[in-house]
Amino acid sequence: MTRFDQTGVTLTKHQNNAALGVNILPDAEMRAYGFTDHAPEEWYLCRKVSEDGTTTLNLTIAKDGSDWAIDVLDEYFLQPYDYQGLLERNPDNGYARAVADECERQYRLLPDAGTYRCTITDSKDESAVRDVRLVVTADGKVGLYGVDGKALLANGKDE
């Protein structure tokens, strides 16, 4: 495993790849996912990513979605936990591998949850095109809603 080459990559002020992003959900959904907003301009999430609970994934997101920061921290020593560097030097490091796997699982969950604007059709000839919202919750539930906020049922009849 080698470090990623960032030559030619546009970075945010927190040194994240600017081509990547996060989905900002409505406040209630962000809180349900575990985010707090004690700082009014940002969302903050802390998740344990090790079995012993001493290593955490910390995600801070600007509420306007303009930037975000990810930190994986060793809570015992109050410093960053560089699991990528450890795995680069020793791919068989079981603890670092477990942390990497859990971080990856969390990274995959975060962008999937959110509200997406979509256009759908109810007919084969696309004569009934309409805008809808697809909502994916943090626990993987999916719902389709009309622009009026009413749920759409699977048989095509609105609630």
Side-chain angles (χ1 to χ4, degrees):
M1 183 181 305
T2 59
R3 298 243 180 212
F4 296 104
D5 180 10
Q6 294 187 349
T7 304
V9 175
T10 302
L11 301 175
T12 67
K13 69 180 178 183
H14 289 109
Q15 302 305 302
N16 297 308
N17 184 332
L20 303 176
V22 293
N23 293 322
I24 305 295
L25 306 173
D27 288 5
E29 291 179 53
M30 292 296 280
R31 286 186 184 88
Y33 193 75
F35 282 88
T36 62
D37 62 346
H38 298 294
E41 66 282 350
E42 62 190 25
W43 289 108
Y44 174 74
L45 175 73
C46 180
R47 291 274 170 91
K48 294 178 184 176
V49 290
S50 62
E51 284 188 28
D52 63 4
T54 63
T55 307
T56 59
L57 170 68
N58 299 264
L59 175 60
T60 305
I61 305 171
K63 281 195 170 180
D64 65 3
S66 62
D67 204 10
W68 45 276
I70 295 174
D71 296 296
V72 178
L73 302 175
D74 179 328
E75 298 293 342
Y76 273 173
F77 295 100
L78 303 175
Q79 64 185 16
Y81 181 73
D82 185 10
Y83 66 90
Q84 293 171 323
L86 290 167
L87 289 172
E88 186 176 292
R89 290 186 295 282
N90 177 8
D92 297 325
N93 182 321
Y95 187 88
R97 171 60 48 211
V99 167
D101 290 347
E102 182 57 21
C103 284
E104 184 64 28
R105 190 179 80 77
Q106 291 296 324
Y107 297 151
R108 290 184 189 281
L109 284 176
L110 290 168
D112 290 342
T115 302
Y116 302 88
R117 292 184 185 137
C118 307
T119 302
I120 64 168
T121 181
D122 293 340
S123 64
K124 292 180 182 178
D125 66 359
E126 297 186 14
S127 62
V129 174
R130 61 181 166 160
D131 292 328
V132 297
R133 288 191 181 270
L134 174 69
V135 177
V136 182
T137 65
D139 59 356
K141 295 179 183 171
V142 177
L144 197 58
Y145 298 85
V147 292
D148 59 1
K150 292 183 180 179
L152 303 178
L153 301 177
N155 65 6
K157 295 181 182 176
D158 295 349
E159 235 178 27

